[in-house]
Amino acid sequence: MSEKQRVSTLARRIHGWSWQAFPIGMGTGAVYVTLSGLKEHSPTLTTVETIFYFLNISLFLLNTTTLMTQAILFPRQAWRLIKDPVKGIFVPLVVLSFATIIIGTINYAVPPGHVSPSFIYVLFWIYVAFACLTCLPMLMIWFNQPHDLATFTPAYAFLVFPMMLVGVVAFNVLKTMNPADPRAIGVLVLGYFFQGIGFFMTFFYLCIYIIRIMSTGFLEGHQANGAFVACGPPGFTALALLNLGDHARKILAAHHLVTPAAGDIWYASSVLSALMLYGLAVFLFVFGVLPYWFKVHKHLKEILGCWALTFPNVGWISCTRVLGDVFHIPGLYDVHLVMTILMCLTWAVLFVLTVIAFWKGLIFYSQDEDVLKDTRRDDDDKLSYSTTSTAV
């Protein structure tokens, strides 16, 4: 019993932290991204969005710092989380959190002049490198072992999400650039390139998801939250195509690329494709909502999985507003407003429940035995290494 008392609460928190903490920040980012798209936009609303933006940055710093500390103090636990077939799929979410921060920086730091467009351009390339360096190794680790179809969930697509969101980051970066700038061509082309990789890879995951629920029925328990992840790929791709196509009209014309009508053709084809993908995203959302309450487990210890109710839906919700602009349908603005309000309410409920679960030690809290076990093993490894070095 005395041995257990040597484990501090802080040590148990650090040891129990996981990559599943990043969806909290992404859900926070989802709030200001959807709010920023509202048709009626007041200065007060911008202030509220800015508060969520800084809260997102704080959560990002907290998560990255804690996981880095975990890697130093408990390397076995850190490596165990990365190799875990379930918890490991959340590792790429650190890149997605970074994407929401870039979008927030573009919306709230560039207009006042606090950040220059050149810096945003550099951030874009950092994001692309970050996405590739994270996704590819994690895909190698994940595909290096077999996985049971009966336990498959759309959340497995998180392994590809960062590359898919390059298109979303790209069109936001293009907002800060002059279409005549030669660098805009690279951003546009790379946005389409990675959006294609991300969407088609995640689409394969969606096909497996449909096969899974055909054989086992709707997802149950904590996996029921994963049904909303399925909305992400078609929703974000539709949003990216609409905006990249709009920028393509200006960029291709400014540089006289392909043909004089290429920009308009790209835009028209993007609108058509986006409309169909938008329909798929809405269907998958409804498909996840209808059985949700009857399938999900109402346990606070599984609250982290519920954050999937927020950020995967940002794509099709934001796309609703853009389609309203394209087709001049005021009703879509109303739908966007209603879904944005629901997003904010969902965030508030989840945030309160997450704080309660954290306070009660139901999440991010390891048992004494687990901390002591990893502490002893890590100390033994260091002692063994020291002895070997001395012998040599």
Side-chain angles (χ1 to χ4, degrees):
M1 190 70 182
S2 59
E3 195 175 32
K4 290 184 180 180
Q5 294 175 347
R6 292 202 301 267
V7 180
S8 66
T9 300
L10 181 60
R12 294 175 69 177
R13 289 292 186 191
I14 294 173
H15 186 277
W17 214 264
S18 74
W19 297 90
Q20 286 179 286
F22 283 103
I24 302 173
M26 292 170 59
T28 304
V31 172
Y32 63 73
V33 171
T34 50
L35 284 174
S36 65
L38 289 175
K39 186 69 172 176
E40 303 297 330
H41 213 274
S42 66
T44 303
L45 187 58
T46 302
T47 302
V48 173
E49 295 167 23
T50 306
I51 293 173
F52 276 97
Y53 166 63
F54 282 109
L55 177 59
N56 186 21
I57 293 177
S58 301
L59 290 171
F60 181 81
L61 293 175
L62 172 64
N63 291 330
T64 51
T65 303
T66 306
L67 287 170
M68 287 175 62
T69 305
Q70 181 191 79
I72 296 171
L73 299 179
F74 309 107
R76 286 179 177 272
Q77 171 67 356
W79 182 238
R80 191 182 298 123
L81 290 176
I82 293 175
K83 292 176 63 179
D84 190 282
V86 176
K87 295 180 180 179
I89 63 174
F90 293 96
V91 173
L93 297 189
V94 62
V95 189
L96 297 184
S97 293
F98 183 53
T100 61
I101 292 175
I102 293 177
I103 294 172
T105 303
I106 293 170
N107 290 340
Y108 313 116
V110 173
H114 300 311
V115 173
S116 68
S118 297
F119 181 71
I120 296 298
Y121 178 73
V122 172
L123 284 181
F124 171 73
W125 286 103
I126 292 175
Y127 176 81
V128 172
F130 194 13
C132 292
L133 292 175
T134 303
C135 290
L136 295 177
M138 289 308 302
L139 285 169
M140 294 301 101
I141 293 173
W142 196 80
F143 279 109
N144 195 40
Q145 50 189 319
H147 301 277
D148 189 1
L149 179 63
T151 59
F152 184 88
T153 167
Y156 290 167
F158 282 154
L159 297 168
V160 193
F161 262 49
M163 290 194 288
M164 182 187 69
L165 251 71
V166 170
V168 175
V169 175
F171 79 70
N172 278 279
V173 171
L174 287 172
K175 293 178 185 177
T176 68
M177 301 181 70
N178 188 330
D181 189 337
R183 297 178 301 175
I185 302 173
V187 176
L188 178 69
V189 171
L190 212 63
Y192 273 111
F193 177 80
F194 276 100
Q195 194 66 44
I197 293 175
F199 171 70
F200 284 108
M201 280 299 299
T202 51
F203 186 76
F204 300 148
Y205 279 90
L206 293 183
C207 294
I208 301 173
Y209 162 58
I210 297 299
I211 295 174
R212 152 76 199 275
I213 61 176
M214 284 176 61
S215 58
T216 65
F218 287 116
L219 303 183
E220 294 192 43
H222 67 279
Q223 285 195 335
N225 299 297
F228 294 96
V229 178
C231 309
F236 282 113
T237 302
L239 180 65
L241 288 177
L242 283 172
N243 286 278
L244 288 175
D246 186 36
H247 286 291
R249 287 195 296 181
K250 308 164 189 173
I251 295 173
L252 296 182
H255 296 275
H256 309 290
L257 295 174
V258 192
T259 67
D264 290 327
I265 294 172
W266 282 31
Y267 179 64
S269 59
S270 293
V271 171
L272 176 61
S273 302
L275 189 57
M276 292 189 289
L277 290 172
Y278 173 75
L280 176 61
V282 173
F283 170 77
L284 290 173
F285 173 75
V286 175
F287 205 57
V289 166
L290 293 179
Y292 180 71
W293 186 254
F294 307 101
K295 294 292 185 178
V296 72
H297 291 164
K298 287 81 171 178
H299 305 311
L300 272 180
K301 64 181 179 180
E302 297 181 358
I303 190 62
L304 293 176
C306 295
W307 283 95
L309 296 172
T310 57
F311 60 90
N313 293 304
V314 171
W316 72 266
I317 293 174
S318 298
C319 191
T320 304
R321 158 65 200 274
V322 180
L323 288 173
D325 291 336
V326 172
F327 295 108
H328 305 290
I329 303 176
L332 290 178
Y333 299 142
D334 297 331
V335 173
H336 179 260
L337 175 61
V338 170
M339 294 309 301
T340 299
I341 293 173
L342 289 176
M343 176 71 74
C344 295
L345 291 175
T346 301
W347 180 89
V349 172
L350 290 178
F351 194 80
V352 171
L353 292 178
T354 301
V355 170
I356 294 173
F358 182 84
W359 183 261
K360 291 184 175 181
L362 300 176
I363 56 174
F364 306 138
Y365 203 61
S366 289
Q367 297 299 317
D368 288 347
E369 303 81 29
D370 296 329
V371 179
L372 290 169
K373 181 174 61 177
D374 280 340
T375 302
R376 284 195 294 267
R377 285 181 177 178
D378 293 334
D379 288 343
D380 291 344
D381 288 345
K382 291 177 183 177
L383 179 62
S384 175
Y385 176 76
S386 175
T387 305
T388 303
S389 299
T390 303
V392 172

